[in-house]
Amino acid sequence: MRKYLFWLLLPLVVGCQLGAPDQNAPLPILGEFDVVNGDTVYHTIRDFSFVNQDSQEVNNQTFDGKAYVVDFFFISCPTICPKVKKQMLRLSERFKDEGRLVLLSHTIDTKHDTIPRLKKFATDLGVGLPQWHFVTGEKDSIYSIANDYFSIAQEDPNAPGGFDHSGRLILVDTQRRVRAFCDGTDPKSVDQFMVDVARLLKEMK
């Protein structure tokens, strides 16, 4: 039977995360879940296949045994993307020696953000593989998988730059389950998110 609609409980879940006194406790598992024959089945990220800035295929197997942080962006974004990338750079630096954490940035402008442009973008940021994948792929596949991450990515001629997208950063565990998220434009929100990332990495041990 379907239990607890995610969006209805979202404020409560976030409040619990932000106010949790025990930083050693496991992070909650976010999203809807079912109970099947007495077992709890959680929402997971679907199978996917994209291509990164080095023309390598990136799929679920790329993250075997690893947690990863997801965002959606486009290179010519005139609004939130520079702020989000600044915070992702903080994450990259904070966890640069942690091989169990990978960053995954999806371009939502698949027409203009070609592989060479993604490569240059990563190089200009001073980051790259194996820590940080910048990926492109079929437009519809990227837009639809944003829903799996409880994010938004879509074309909108009325939005700045022609795309409507969330600035959310999403943390996914080794079992493809969403465990935390934050507002990637807000440094304080990202501060708490980095605590959550550290909690998940500790849990993975």
Side-chain angles (χ1 to χ4, degrees):
M1 158 174 96
R2 182 57 58 90
K3 308 287 280 188
Y4 302 118
L5 185 61
F6 172 71
W7 293 110
L8 293 179
L9 288 185
L10 182 57
L12 177 61
V13 171
V14 174
C16 289
Q17 281 188 260
L18 294 179
D22 184 4
Q23 296 300 331
N24 293 317
L27 289 172
I29 300 170
L30 305 184
E32 299 178 0
F33 64 87
D34 293 326
V35 176
V36 180
N37 298 324
D39 294 326
T40 304
V41 180
Y42 292 97
H43 167 83
T44 57
I45 306 304
R46 72 187 72 179
D47 290 343
F48 60 81
S49 178
F50 300 116
V51 180
N52 69 17
Q53 71 268 30
D54 282 2
S55 299
Q56 300 168 341
E57 181 182 5
V58 175
N59 55 38
N60 307 85
Q61 287 68 47
T62 305
F63 305 103
D64 279 350
K66 301 179 186 295
Y68 63 102
V69 174
V70 175
D71 79 317
F72 294 84
F73 82 108
F74 60 108
I75 292 174
S76 62
C77 175
T79 54
I80 65 174
C81 296
K83 296 178 181 179
V84 174
K85 282 295 172 280
K86 183 176 180 179
Q87 298 307 313
M88 286 284 275
L89 282 167
R90 289 182 61 206
L91 278 165
S92 174
E93 178 62 25
R94 166 67 176 80
F95 296 101
K96 63 182 179 181
D97 297 322
E98 179 51 78
R100 296 173 300 158
L101 183 73
V102 184
L103 308 183
L104 175 60
S105 293
H106 306 72
T107 179
I108 60 174
D109 186 359
T110 57
K111 180 178 180 181
H112 297 103
D113 292 352
T114 61
I115 292 172
R117 288 196 70 196
L118 291 174
K119 179 68 173 180
K120 183 178 186 304
F121 185 74
T123 301
D124 289 346
L125 285 177
V127 298
L129 302 176
Q131 185 192 34
W132 196 338
H133 297 267
F134 293 82
V135 298
T136 186
E138 293 292 333
K139 177 179 67 175
D140 291 343
S141 295
I142 291 177
Y143 291 178
S144 62
I145 204 168
N147 295 326
D148 278 21
Y149 294 113
F150 311 121
S151 192
I152 298 171
Q154 60 189 14
E155 290 180 313
D156 182 351
N158 297 316
F163 297 90
D164 181 17
H165 65 298
S166 168
R168 182 174 288 177
L169 307 184
I170 306 100
L171 176 63
V172 182
D173 68 15
T174 58
Q175 299 180 58
R176 306 189 193 182
R177 304 175 303 189
V178 176
R179 302 298 295 275
F181 60 84
C182 71
D183 179 353
T185 68
D186 181 354
K188 290 184 178 180
S189 182
V190 177
D191 287 345
Q192 176 59 47
F193 185 72
M194 288 195 285
V195 173
D196 291 339
V197 171
R199 286 173 64 190
L200 178 59
L201 293 172
K202 184 175 182 179
E203 178 184 332
M204 288 166 58
K205 291 182 179 178

